[in-house]
Amino acid sequence: MFKVSTTIKQLEWRYAVKKFDASKMLDQSLVDILKHGFNLTATSYGLQPISLVILENKHIQQQLVAHSFGQEQVAQASHVLVICIQNEINDTYINEYFKQVKRVRGTSDEILNPFKEALVESFSKKDIAEIKEWSKNQAYLALGNLLTLCAMEKIDACPMEGFVPDAYDELLGIKAKGLTSVLVLPVGYRATDDIFATFKKVRRDLADSIIEIS
């Protein structure tokens, strides 16, 4: 018989919040956990072509509602997390990554160079659309990681694709940093009158979603 773990209980507790309690703010310690969790997200090749904008400014958050198809969660939330991708992955970016590997691990150039050169060659053959698509996949990995982390820390969240990236980028000054926003995650605490908090989760039966091969 399946024993429900703490992790599963927290994932069952989690839902996409439709209304936040605007009077409740996350402690800085929880924001720091989200920062570190984002930075520890697995990414392809370890290249981390993603950045996280953390917004805690009610005036700007209210402005973002118009660029979020009227979704008030961005204004109500304690903080708004915006996951962004690098606009360009070139040899300079890749070289910087391998410099970091060498600094952290002390790995020799003899070992690193073949892998580095292979990546530089591989990415030089990709067009902008391919690189952006690859980067977006990494952003979704980060989103999933953050959602699980939020559940474990009892932080409410609402993952959003419904927003206007160009407007966000302009308002938040993201373009100037060579980034493009791709996902939005308002975080905070659910309002007591958000009826969606009481709804049962609707998921396929395990037998319909899990394929086991032994």
Side-chain angles (χ1 to χ4, degrees):
M1 183 176 177
F2 175 66
K3 182 180 179 181
V4 179
S5 69
T6 300
T7 303
I8 296 300
K9 286 180 180 177
Q10 287 308 116
L11 291 175
E12 290 175 341
W13 169 86
R14 187 210 71 79
Y15 76 108
V17 173
K18 300 301 183 288
K19 184 179 180 182
F20 287 95
D21 184 338
S23 69
K24 292 184 178 180
M25 301 295 291
L26 295 180
D27 288 339
Q28 185 58 45
S29 61
L30 290 175
V31 177
D32 289 341
I33 288 172
L34 294 178
K35 289 180 185 178
H36 286 278
F38 174 84
N39 202 45
L40 288 169
T41 295
T43 59
S44 183
Y45 308 118
L47 284 177
Q48 288 184 282
I50 52 177
S51 295
L52 184 67
V53 174
I54 301 177
L55 175 65
E56 183 191 358
N57 182 306
K58 291 298 181 182
H59 176 66
I60 298 176
Q61 287 173 236
Q62 187 60 56
Q63 289 179 276
L64 289 176
V65 174
H67 308 301
S68 309
F69 301 100
Q71 297 177 90
E72 291 287 344
Q73 293 99 314
V74 293
Q76 301 160 348
S78 169
H79 295 67
V80 177
L81 311 185
V82 184
I83 302 176
C84 307
I85 59 172
Q86 294 286 146
N87 288 333
E88 190 175 3
I89 303 294
N90 52 26
D91 55 351
T92 300
Y93 185 91
I94 294 170
N95 283 328
E96 283 302 313
Y97 165 71
F98 280 94
K99 286 180 183 178
Q100 180 74 349
V101 173
K102 189 173 182 179
R103 281 194 296 268
V104 173
R105 295 179 176 171
T107 310
S108 69
D109 289 333
E110 184 180 9
I111 294 174
L112 291 178
N113 282 345
F115 184 30
K116 177 176 69 176
E117 290 165 5
L119 280 183
V120 168
E121 181 182 6
S122 175
F123 277 88
S124 70
K125 294 177 181 177
K126 299 180 189 295
D127 59 29
I128 293 176
E130 286 179 295
I131 292 176
K132 282 193 171 184
E133 187 64 26
W134 171 80
S135 297
K136 281 183 180 180
N137 290 339
Q138 315 314 307
Y140 278 94
L141 286 174
L143 177 64
N145 197 39
L146 285 171
L147 286 173
T148 300
L149 187 56
C150 282
M152 294 304 297
E153 297 294 333
K154 286 212 163 183
I155 300 169
D156 285 305
C158 180
M160 290 169 47
E161 293 179 298
F163 71 105
V164 183
D166 285 344
Y168 266 65
D169 296 351
E170 185 67 31
L171 189 57
L172 300 176
I174 293 172
K175 286 183 180 179
K177 301 181 185 299
L179 302 169
T180 298
S181 56
V182 294
L183 292 165
V184 176
L185 185 66
V187 295
Y189 297 103
R190 65 189 69 177
T192 56
D193 59 348
D194 184 0
I195 62 170
F196 286 87
T198 63
F199 288 0
K200 289 185 177 180
K201 273 194 174 10
V202 179
R203 296 292 188 272
R204 290 193 293 168
D205 289 341
L206 283 181
D208 295 327
S209 63
I210 307 297
I211 300 171
E212 296 186 86
I213 300 174
S214 57

